[in-house]
Amino acid sequence: RWAAFTEFLDDGRICLTNNAAERALRGIALGRKSWLFAGSERGGDRAAFMYTLIVTAQMNDIDPQAWMADVLTRLPDMPVSRVQELLPWHWKAAAERERIAA
């Protein structure tokens, strides 16, 4: 175990602490107590769905609030056949194309 423990001395890419992982989990840990009281099973399902959307946007380097605001304003006029354009990875590419064109 000692060799594995001291590996960071030979390889500068290895982080000495796990602070980055703990910071990433902090939001989940802070909300855990609140999520126990979603009100109902349906409320818990909705909370899980929303959290999934927010994390998916973050994983695609998108501001979740800006993405959701845009999606919610465009969704009522969007044909069902084009809804996939509002997914975070497609939305980001379209936003980038619009930024370049402007």
Side-chain angles (χ1 to χ4, degrees), residues 40-90:
S40 66
E41 186 174 345
R42 187 174 177 190
D45 288 343
R46 286 184 180 176
F49 180 76
M50 291 303 295
Y51 189 70
T52 301
L53 290 175
I54 291 167
V55 171
T56 302
Q58 290 173 339
M59 289 175 65
N60 285 280
D61 294 325
I62 297 172
D63 175 23
Q65 187 175 2
W67 172 68
M68 267 196 210
D70 183 53
V71 167
L72 291 174
T73 57
R74 293 172 51 194
L75 192 58
D77 299 326
M78 180 74 66
V80 173
S81 61
R82 294 184 49 208
V83 169
Q84 71 273 8
E85 294 173 16
L86 300 177
L87 293 171
W89 44 91
H90 295 304

